[in-house]
Amino acid sequence: GCHTVACEILCNMTGVTCRGEVSGMLTVSMHCSMPASRRPEMAGGAKSCRMPAAGRSSASFQVPVMSGNGVPRRARNGDDTRTGRSEMSGVRTALRTQRQHTRGKESTVAPLTTRPDNAKANEVSVRRKTRGNRRKKTRRKEEMRQESAGNMFVDPDDDDGYLDSTEEMWDKKMDGVIKVYCIHTEPNFSMPWQRRRQYQSTSTGFVIDVERKRLLTNAHSVEHHTQVKVKKRGDDQKFLAKVLATGTECDIAMLTVDDPKFWEDMSALEFGHLPRLQEGVAVVGYPVGGDTISVTSGVVSRIEVTSYVHGMTDLLSIQIDAAINSGNSGGPVFNERQECVGIAFQSMRGEDAENIGYVIPTPVVEHFLVDYERNGKFTGFPMLGISWQTMESPALRAVLKMTSEQSGVLVREVQPTCPAAGAIMPNDIILQFNGIAISNDGTVPFRRGERIAFGYLVSERYEGEAVLLKLLRDGEVIDVETVLGKPTFLVPSHISGAEPSYYIVAGLGFITASEL
């Protein structure tokens, strides 16, 4: 009956003493073979086994008589209590029942040991207090359930009645995440004087400034929009929103809502620093598969310059292994300190790719916001306007008169419409950018143990800023100062949501070239 002492059963063979048929139940008597003086003690001095010692009155309780297939049946006259299956099943049931009584639960049978009167009184007092506390806790939870009807911060199942501070903060953070509804009408580039059929999409956004009424989402979530609406978490009303700025290159859009009711009890999210590798992150949004808010978690897998599919540009991004599905676009990504470290915007799909999602990091988001504050609109990320190649070949380095201590990248072509066209020449070797040395593979130091493409240094700047370049030209090292800008391409990569231009004359239609 106890896992700490050996117990034997009172019977000649099987230990079952049948005292008669009682509605299909057998009365089983048990006692402990270990003397009471040698039984181990538990906390408080209580004995670990409360079974009577051998020679005293045994503990009796009833168990059902079981047939061979495990179905209870009524005991019949003539059953062999020593060898029958039904009685052996009863013994096994009795042993299991007695183990449950001795593993901390109070037995429902008669007391098995003799205790002093004061011990019994203390036990009764403790039981009464426990029952009283349970009644109070039950009443408190019932009151809280009634109070929590209009208060989302009350948890009826919590011991103290309210959410922990961390859970409450997380709840407030998720209140700043909204669902975006957009109706798109894309232009027909083959017939630019008309549009294609409308379609709807849902995505995610979040609040960044309550006073100035500003929201952020992805640019592709509101591209070619005719109507944009947003809905708060836990609300059934949709509010009309306006698009203030669209950054096609970085896939970010800024929205606003004029209705003051939308901003009631709303809190803005706080931006955090660039996360470290293997740091835990959580993606919050409204993906496909449901209507309520969704949270997926993962870790930071990689940080590097990545191609942004929507804007066809190469900017800094964070790769994570958390699921980013359709509808998560524009949603915030939180770190373990409940800070927003980026915006979910794209994922890699394919047979060789699993759980690869990409996040727009806070440096890119801050660049978008600062650019909008400076110019009243998004002007874009600057470029050097060159195409280059690595200098890892020893033969190529020897031909261009590079020493073993020098490193850099070779300029192959310079865009004639970029500001640096007069300062940088083809076959120049860029050794340094603003005093930072460029390696032969085109990377620069990023963080401890990490390197990144030197294009990241260019994307950190703003259009019109001056930079200092150290070049190797015909074997001589020279310093050149140039201004960063955006070259004008004959065939633009995108039109930033604008309408395609066309011209019709004498029955002929002329449109802007879309590819060479």
Side-chain angles (χ1 to χ4, degrees), residues 368-379:
F368 170 83
L369 297 176
V370 172
D371 188 11
Y372 178 80
E373 293 296 333
R374 289 182 178 181
N375 305 293
K377 62 178 181 179
F378 177 73
T379 60

Side-chain angles (χ1 to χ4, degrees), residues 295-306:
V295 181
T296 57
S297 61
V299 297
V300 176
S301 306
R302 183 183 296 160
I303 299 178
E304 64 179 2
V305 174
T306 308

Side-chain angles (χ1 to χ4, degrees), residues 70-99:
V71 180
R73 66 174 178 85
R74 190 177 182 86
R76 298 191 300 269
N77 294 330
D79 282 343
D80 189 350
T81 60
R82 290 176 294 180
T83 59
R85 289 184 177 180
S86 60
E87 281 70 18
M88 293 304 297
S89 300
V91 171
R92 288 192 293 268
T93 305
L95 292 176
R96 288 195 297 268
T97 306
Q98 185 59 28
R99 290 192 188 99

Side-chain angles (χ1 to χ4, degrees), residues 235-431:
D235 196 358
D236 60 348
Q237 182 179 358
K238 297 179 182 178
F239 298 88
L240 189 64
K242 295 189 301 183
V243 179
L244 296 179
T246 302
T248 306
E249 299 173 6
C250 57
D251 202 0
I252 303 176
M254 182 185 297
L255 311 179
T256 186
V257 178
D258 294 331
D259 194 338
K261 185 178 178 181
F262 174 82
W263 302 99
E264 294 178 358
D265 300 327
M266 187 70 77
S267 58
L269 304 186
E270 298 179 357
F271 288 105
H273 297 291
L274 197 66
R276 291 284 181 178
L277 296 179
Q278 297 184 350
E279 184 174 343
V281 293
V283 181
V284 181
Y286 296 87
V288 294
D291 295 329
T292 59
I293 198 167
S294 170
V295 181
T296 57
S297 61
V299 297
V300 176
S301 306
R302 183 183 296 160
I303 299 178
E304 64 179 2
V305 174
T306 308
S307 176
Y308 282 43
V309 176
H310 182 67
M312 301 181 65
T313 53
D314 295 333
L315 298 173
L316 185 68
S317 70
I318 303 173
Q319 178 182 325
I320 61 176
D321 65 349
I324 298 179
N325 299 309
S326 178
N328 273 126
S329 297
V333 179
F334 294 98
N335 59 11
E336 297 174 350
R337 295 176 295 277
Q338 304 174 3
E339 299 170 334
C340 179
V341 295
I343 305 174
F345 75 112
Q346 67 184 27
S347 61
M348 182 178 292
R349 306 289 176 86
E351 297 179 356
D352 300 332
E354 291 184 7
N355 297 334
I356 299 180
Y358 294 96
V359 178
I360 305 173
T362 50
V364 179
V365 178
E366 291 176 358
H367 190 285
F368 170 83
L369 297 176
V370 172
D371 188 11
Y372 178 80
E373 293 296 333
R374 289 182 178 181
N375 305 293
K377 62 178 181 179
F378 177 73
T379 60
F381 290 80
M383 301 173 61
L384 272 179
I386 64 172
S387 59
W388 53 273
Q389 74 175 62
T390 61
M391 293 293 294
E392 297 177 296
S393 172
L396 183 61
R397 291 168 52 85
V399 170
L400 296 175
K401 302 177 183 180
M402 288 186 66
T403 63
S404 58
E405 293 81 11
Q406 294 175 333
S407 63
V409 293
L410 175 64
V411 178
R412 298 183 57 184
E413 183 183 1
V414 181
Q415 295 290 338
T417 57
C418 71
I424 304 176
M425 306 293 293
N427 295 328
D428 283 349
I429 299 175
I430 304 177
L431 304 177

Side-chain angles (χ1 to χ4, degrees), residues 195-237:
R195 291 175 171 267
R196 299 182 184 273
R197 181 173 297 180
Q198 290 184 348
Y199 67 94
Q200 298 181 2
S201 70
T202 60
S203 56
T204 310
F206 59 96
V207 181
I208 62 169
D209 195 331
V210 177
E211 294 182 358
R212 293 189 286 182
K213 302 179 180 180
R214 291 181 178 177
L215 309 168
L216 284 185
T217 186
N218 280 148
H220 71 263
S221 299
V222 294
E223 186 182 25
H224 300 300
H225 64 277
T226 56
Q227 185 184 74
V228 179
K229 289 185 177 182
V230 296
K231 185 173 71 172
K232 301 193 316 184
R233 175 194 176 199
D235 196 358
D236 60 348
Q237 182 179 358

